Amino acid sequence: MVSEYQLIETTTNGYRFNPKLRIKTDLDLFDHLWTLAQQSGATSAKVDIMKEAVNLYKGSMLSSWDSDTWMKPTITHYELRYKGIVNELLKTLAEQNDFYNLHKYAAQAISVDAGNVKAYYWMVIATCNLGSEEMALTQLSTAEKNLTEEEFADLLRMLRDAKITPLGDAFY
């Protein structure tokens, strides 16, 4: 027995995490890193903080509880927070022309969330800038399979707007 208190308790309003327990979780650390990233002014420090937060996130939290209605708002909150911080990290890496890390973190973002249009966008940008248009076409094929038609059309529009022309007419 770790504690005399249960992790989850029932209240008149439903379920909640037991406030008597003082547990530090990855969620607490993720929230702390997210807050630090929002407050950080120095780009290099902010990138390091965002990398740490992105590396901490492994996908839907408490996945065994995904179907429990009372957990949906919390799960959605962290999914959106992750998507925001990873997309900000990718944009910042691109602005720094750090295409190696842009590729690395875009691939990681896609593995966590195969529907992240911006992660595919940055993956194609990184791949083209690393000199592999053939791999960029492979990434576009993967995106086409994983995204809705509308999302894929948005991705192609974003690439056209960025003047990513080495891809030729294969997808345009």
Side-chain angles (χ1 to χ4, degrees):
M1 176 183 221
V2 175
S3 171
E4 63 186 86
Y5 303 110
Q6 290 191 25
L7 174 62
I8 307 218
E9 65 180 17
T10 305
T11 69
T12 55
N13 296 324
Y15 299 102
R16 71 175 179 187
F17 289 107
N18 191 332
K20 295 177 185 171
L21 295 173
R22 301 283 181 222
I23 300 171
K24 286 284 188 187
T25 66
D26 287 350
L27 296 177
D28 296 318
L29 179 55
F30 185 83
D31 283 337
H32 176 70
L33 292 169
W34 187 86
T35 301
L36 284 177
Q38 300 309 306
Q39 296 170 349
S40 180
T43 303
S44 62
K46 186 172 186 170
V47 166
D48 290 341
I49 294 166
M50 289 189 294
K51 284 179 180 178
E52 190 175 347
V54 166
N55 286 332
L56 184 63
Y57 191 86
K58 304 294 182 218
S60 180
M61 62 162 268
L62 305 172
S63 59
S64 61
W65 291 351
D66 276 353
S67 62
D68 289 357
T69 305
W70 73 280
M71 286 297 296
K72 291 232 183 261
T74 303
I75 292 168
T76 301
H77 168 80
Y78 283 101
E79 287 172 348
L80 292 173
R81 190 166 269 193
Y82 167 77
K83 189 174 250 181
I85 203 164
V86 77
N87 287 343
E88 185 175 346
L89 173 61
L90 296 173
K91 180 181 177 208
T92 304
L93 292 170
E95 289 168 353
Q96 296 175 340
N97 294 322
D98 185 352
F99 298 113
Y100 172 79
N101 277 311
L102 180 60
H103 184 275
K104 174 185 171 181
Y105 284 99
Q108 185 175 329
I110 291 166
S111 73
V112 169
D113 177 10
N116 186 339
V117 177
K118 289 183 180 177
Y120 285 107
Y121 170 78
W122 292 119
M123 174 64 89
V124 171
I125 298 287
T127 306
C128 286
N129 279 283
L130 291 171
S132 182
E133 284 109 23
E134 187 174 318
M135 186 182 277
L137 287 171
T138 301
Q139 288 300 327
L140 277 175
S141 292
T142 302
E144 187 174 27
K145 292 173 190 166
N146 291 326
L147 300 174
T148 66
E149 284 184 36
E150 183 178 321
E151 289 170 333
F152 188 67
D154 287 344
L155 173 60
L156 294 178
R157 179 191 46 76
M158 290 166 40
L159 290 168
R160 267 193 311 272
D161 291 349
K163 298 182 180 17
I164 302 301
T165 55
L167 300 177
D169 294 327
F171 283 93
Y172 300 126

